[in-house]
Amino acid sequence: MAGAALASQLWSLLDEMAENEPQAYRRFQRQQRSEAERLCAPPEPHLCLRARPTVGCAGAQPRLGLLQGVVGKPLFINVCGWKRVPAPKVPTDPTPVSAGPLEEVTGEGDLYSIIDIAYNPDVLQRGEENPEKMEHLIHLTLKFVEERCNLILADLYTVESFKLKGSLETMQQRLKGRRMPTPHLSQNTKKELTLDQLLHTMEAEDCSNVPVLLKDENVTHSKVHLIEEISSTEMPEKLSTPVYEMITVKDTNKKPLKFELKIELPKVSSVSECDLQISKDDIIIEVPEKYKLQLDLPELVDEETTTAVFNKGKRVLFITVPVAKP
């Protein structure tokens, strides 16, 4: 109940800001949208590893057909940077990771398997600045792939001269558009949920077998949380276009003075749900998971003096946009 009351109070404050301080509200919305766009940036290739699976791990019978096709053939691991994946808050925290599906590629003489692994760009940047950290991250990645895909990889690996195996678009689709099945975890690993909606947590097996090159004190224990796997965000559904009406108010010389826009939003109960963006030549109104409307304005307008009022009873948004002065 306390949480609901706090949320209600927050929405009321945002409503008051939108009605009484529309410019401050627009700045707030722009800041929120800028942060959302940053988090929605696509994954970018960073480096490509080449490894070779030797055998499948015990307990991998449900995926035996795939493993038979993977074992013995080169495995390319695309290590990518993705802003959507959070960075560890402190160096001793586990490193969040997002994984795509393991796929086998055949045809035109190519016989190999491929998987995409994404970290926060800051994690990869620290690796670029410190070769020991990068080597440690690579070994964690290989260990993660072994557990994730029920494989045992040969000790030798190579860092390819190219950053990405396959096409950029395909890599991004694999990371963004699919969920991996729950991995089989060995007795030395466990799975847990966290408050940040991280779906799976992996513990490394006996760290004495892993070249731990970081000098963090907590990393020297025989068992530590090293990598946390997060799920990819599902693609948003197409938003509907709300019913709207725009009227042009003119002066005595029939020159446009302002535009009055009326938008019906029956699924909206508070103006705080609306993301309103106004530029000199267009208006964008978006309500997450509900509506999106983009209008090109016939005249250049003064976005700083634009006002917006939401009628809660009728669930209608009224926007007044003055035409810019010459």
Side-chain angles (χ1 to χ4, degrees), residues 5-20 270-272 312:
L6 181 61
S8 178
Q9 183 179 8
L10 177 60
W11 297 137
S12 297
L13 290 173
L14 290 173
D15 285 342
E16 291 179 6
M17 179 190 293
E19 294 176 4
N20 301 325
S270 170
V271 70
S272 58
K312 293 182 180 179

Side-chain angles (χ1 to χ4, degrees), residues 156-169:
L156 297 178
Y157 70 89
T158 58
V159 178
E160 298 290 346
S161 58
F162 48 85
K163 293 184 177 181
L164 179 70
K165 183 67 173 180
S167 72
L168 178 64
E169 181 180 1

Side-chain angles (χ1 to χ4, degrees), residues 1 41 47-48 76 85 92 119 155 171 204 206 220 231 247 252 276 295 306 314:
M1 295 296 292
L47 63 85
C48 181
F76 292 94
V85 180
T92 54
Y119 296 101
D155 293 335
M171 176 273 288
D206 187 358
T220 61
S231 65
I247 299 175
T252 55
L276 174 61
L295 293 176
T306 296
K314 297 181 179 180

